[in-house]
Amino acid sequence: MTFSLKNTRLAIVGLGYVGLPLAVEFGKKMATIGYDINSARVKELKQGHDSTLEVSDEEMREATELSYTDQLNDVAKCNVYIVTVPTPVDKNKRPDFSPLVSASTALGKILKKNDIVIYESTVYPGATEEVCVPVLEKVSGLKFNVDFYAGYSPERINPGDKEHRVSTIKKVTSGSTPEVADYVDALYRTVIVAGTHKASSLKVAEASKVIENTQRDLNIALVNELALIFNKIGIDTLEVLEAAGTKWNFLPFRPGLVGGHCISVDPYYLTHKAEEVGYHPAVILSGRRVNDQMAQHIASTVIKKMIKNRLAVVDSNVLVLGLTFKENCPDLRNTGAIDIVYAFKEYNAKVDIYDPWVHKAEAQHEYGVTPIDKPKTGHYDAIILAVAHKEFVDMGADAIRALGRPGCVLYDVKSILPKDKVDDRL
């Protein structure tokens, strides 16, 4: 079977942080349909605005060949489908394939002979062929690599990053046959100016993605553990890291909360597969445990300092500045800041969350909390600067401290304020 770019009729399935930027890039080059089951999201995009702020209104206008739909039949005429739905973990930290299975089930209903389904969602090595392809086969009645084909090209979106965009990040590609691999690679090269790397198999491409974030998770876990040690020793972690950073090959990682759609999730996909094949991944899981405990460590440190300042913890007023998983973006997925909120609520503290980037309805839906419009001056017993939003940087330490009452504990998770202006930091 010969696959041709000029005969491509493309659909992007899932229009979130990953799918929309990709759809916009393709929509600048070729006829593309963006499909999402969220009707409100599709309506918003049709009006030319992206509430995730990953794509500007101007960029959306430049995608003149891109259209949006929430109707599956509208993409039935396509012959190439790129699936960009999320792959979360459940409450027990096990891979949750339900979004991926749902998308594959929907595509199976419209799959035709010689169609190609390309997955971008992060999975463990082998998942495309073990989880997704059987669903496509069962629903469509077609046979894999005879009647239809698959590709895998892992997403590399960095939410909120305006420098490293879809087109400027090198793309790993792969296909279920050599011919499909060549086609998938050529398809992405039409929009990826940074170039592509064609992997030898779907599994290699899948593995490359999952270890990218596992490696970062472990590096952050190391500096988080160092921060815990240095805290007990009584020395400042940032000063230590700055001193060590004078060596040319020292990696500049910083301690902090680990969240988001990848780093705090992807390692569990890899460890799930590892245990399935009989290997217990001690290092990876150890790193996860360290990173997962940081919110509790921060809360415990603040509580001890409150007690030392003779401030009651029960019924205290606590302000958490920032709820998103990283600075200067509205992405709330798997944010570590919420664990700080929950930790204080266990003490019946009254917790206000202030984050100018957050959509209140989304925060309520995801975590059952509603951020406030504006913090109260001279009101708080403890203030935790959890996210380094530019608004908080611009406020400065004095303005932030003015929100607290006398004796208020100010804790700087991100070390963005001068050391002598805060009570403690990671």
Side-chain angles (χ1 to χ4, degrees):
M1 176 65 191
T2 301
F3 300 94
S4 171
L5 286 177
K6 66 179 182 179
N7 295 325
T8 298
R9 301 184 300 279
L10 180 64
I12 308 296
V13 180
L15 297 173
Y17 284 87
V18 174
L20 181 64
L22 185 67
V24 167
E25 290 303 316
F26 274 116
K28 297 174 184 177
K29 301 286 186 178
M30 64 178 70
T32 304
I33 302 176
Y35 169 67
D36 200 294
I37 60 173
N38 186 336
S39 299
R41 173 67 167 165
V42 171
K43 181 179 179 181
E44 166 191 283
L45 297 176
K46 284 183 175 180
Q47 294 172 345
H49 180 68
D50 169 30
S51 60
T52 70
L53 305 181
E54 286 303 300
V55 180
S56 68
D57 294 357
E58 181 181 353
E59 287 175 309
M60 293 186 69
R61 288 192 293 270
E62 291 173 358
T64 56
E65 296 191 66
L66 174 61
S67 60
Y68 306 97
T69 185
D70 58 0
Q71 300 298 310
L72 183 63
N73 287 339
D74 290 341
V75 296
K77 62 184 177 182
C78 297
N79 58 5
V80 178
Y81 301 91
I82 299 179
V83 180
T84 62
V85 298
T87 42
V89 290
D90 63 19
K91 64 181 181 179
N92 297 313
K93 308 298 185 183
R94 294 176 301 196
D96 178 4
F97 283 106
S98 56
L100 209 50
V101 170
S102 294
S104 299
T105 299
L107 290 179
K109 296 175 182 177
I110 60 174
L111 204 63
K112 306 174 298 300
K113 191 172 177 61
N114 297 324
D115 283 359
I116 300 174
V117 182
I118 304 167
Y119 291 92
E120 288 212 358
S121 308
T122 302
V123 292
Y124 58 70
T128 298
E129 291 157 289
E130 295 168 11
V131 177
C132 304
V133 166
V135 174
L136 293 172
E137 285 188 317
K138 180 179 179 180
V139 177
S140 70
L142 301 176
K143 188 172 178 58
F144 178 51
N145 277 345
V146 174
D147 301 315
F148 74 94
Y149 306 86
Y152 185 81
S153 181
E155 60 88 2
R156 280 178 165 172
I157 292 293
N158 188 25
D161 191 336
K162 301 307 178 185
E163 179 182 355
H164 302 98
R165 311 300 301 278
V166 173
S167 62
T168 61
I169 302 173
K170 195 161 190 173
K171 201 85 161 68
V172 175
T173 67
S174 64
S176 57
T177 71
E179 295 77 19
V180 172
D182 289 342
Y183 169 80
V184 171
D185 193 67
L187 176 65
Y188 279 105
R189 276 192 278 111
T190 63
V191 295
I192 307 298
V193 298
T196 59
H197 175 91
K198 186 171 61 175
S200 62
S201 68
L202 301 179
K203 286 183 180 179
V204 169
E206 291 165 328
S208 74
K209 169 59 180 176
V210 79
I211 71 165
E212 288 176 18
N213 293 310
T214 299
Q215 181 187 70
R216 184 166 176 79
D217 190 43
L218 286 170
N219 278 313
I220 297 172
L222 173 61
V223 294
N224 273 338
E225 189 161 69
L226 292 174
L228 297 175
I229 295 169
F230 297 149
N231 179 261
K232 290 183 177 295
I233 295 174
I235 54 179
D236 186 77
T237 303
L238 187 59
E239 289 186 17
V240 174
L241 294 175
E242 287 174 344
T246 59
K247 189 167 187 280
W248 79 92
N249 60 351
F250 185 82
L251 299 177
F253 284 90
R254 292 289 184 267
L257 301 169
V258 179
H261 68 303
C262 285
I263 299 178
S264 61
V265 173
D266 295 358
Y268 290 118
Y269 276 78
L270 184 56
T271 57
H272 172 84
K273 185 62 177 180
E275 290 174 339
E276 190 178 81
V277 297
Y279 179 79
H280 180 72
V283 174
I284 297 172
L285 288 175
S286 176
R288 280 280 75 233
R289 285 192 293 271
V290 170
N291 287 339
D292 281 346
Q293 72 171 310
M294 294 311 293
Q296 188 63 53
H297 164 74
I298 292 165
S300 297
T301 301
V302 173
I303 288 168
K304 289 176 183 177
K305 290 186 175 294
M306 291 174 68
I307 294 172
K308 187 176 182 180
N309 288 1
R310 294 181 170 82
L311 295 171
V313 178
V314 176
D315 294 328
S316 61
N317 293 300
V318 176
L319 175 64
V320 176
L321 292 174
L323 184 61
T324 61
F325 91 88
K326 66 182 294 188
E327 66 273 9
N328 306 325
C329 82
D331 195 345
L332 289 173
R333 289 174 295 175
N334 305 303
T335 176
I338 194 63
D339 293 325
I340 297 176
V341 175
Y342 293 158
F344 275 100
K345 286 191 173 183
E346 289 180 1
Y347 288 86
N348 289 327
K350 302 166 187 173
V351 184
D352 282 350
I353 303 166
Y354 176 61
D355 191 322
W357 287 82
V358 163
H359 301 291
K360 291 184 182 180
E362 185 180 357
Q364 179 61 43
H365 178 265
E366 291 294 326
Y367 301 111
V369 299
T370 302
I372 61 174
D373 293 323
K374 185 179 180 181
K376 302 171 185 176
T377 301
H379 179 70
Y380 301 100
D381 301 295
I383 300 171
I384 298 96
L385 178 51
V387 186
H389 289 317
K390 59 186 180 183
E391 288 85 353
F392 302 151
V393 176
D394 292 342
M395 281 180 70
D398 292 339
I400 292 174
R401 189 171 281 283
L403 300 173
R405 55 176 290 200
C408 170
V409 174
L410 175 55
Y411 190 100
D412 183 6
V413 174
K414 301 297 291 183
S415 296
I416 63 173
L417 302 177
K419 178 186 174 184
D420 60 350
K421 295 286 187 177
V422 302
D423 295 287
D424 207 346
R425 63 185 186 181
L426 267 186

